[in-house]
Amino acid sequence: KKSIKNPEGSYTVLIETDPQFLHLSPLNKNQLRQLHNLGLKIEKAFNLPQDIEWAIENDLIYTLQSRPITTLKK
């Protein structure tokens, strides 16, 4: 399933993914590299593993929120 903006509201809805697209990555190699580097920078800044929310628009990556991962067990 994929999450999309609800055309009738301000929230998202889950819809079935077209089977022909199930094997494709929604991100290209450059975007994956950028997200990897962004995650490393944010974790380094906070000195803790982070749960990071992000979005991409017009090929620009935006960090929406970052918070410590609280479910990790030592």
Side-chain angles (χ1 to χ4, degrees), residues 28-51:
N28 62 44
K29 287 182 182 181
N30 184 49
Q31 291 168 325
L32 289 170
R33 189 176 305 107
Q34 289 179 47
L35 283 170
H36 172 78
N37 292 334
L38 176 64
L40 292 176
K41 287 179 184 178
I42 292 172
E43 285 191 354
K44 185 176 180 181
F46 289 103
N47 200 30
L48 290 168
Q50 296 289 299
D51 178 4

Side-chain angles (χ1 to χ4, degrees), residues 3-71:
S3 178
I4 64 167
K5 182 181 182 301
N6 183 348
E8 300 174 9
S10 60
Y11 52 92
T12 60
V13 292
L14 291 176
I15 62 169
E16 292 297 326
T17 301
D18 189 328
Q20 70 178 345
F21 298 116
L22 288 176
H23 70 283
L24 300 175
S25 173
L27 303 174
N28 62 44
K29 287 182 182 181
N30 184 49
Q31 291 168 325
L32 289 170
R33 189 176 305 107
Q34 289 179 47
L35 283 170
H36 172 78
N37 292 334
L38 176 64
L40 292 176
K41 287 179 184 178
I42 292 172
E43 285 191 354
K44 185 176 180 181
F46 289 103
N47 200 30
L48 290 168
Q50 296 289 299
D51 178 4
I52 302 166
E53 294 180 15
W54 51 270
I56 297 177
E57 183 178 41
N58 299 323
D59 210 33
L60 293 174
I61 297 175
Y62 297 90
T63 303
L64 305 178
Q65 179 173 287
S66 180
R67 61 188 168 275
I69 296 176
T70 56
T71 57

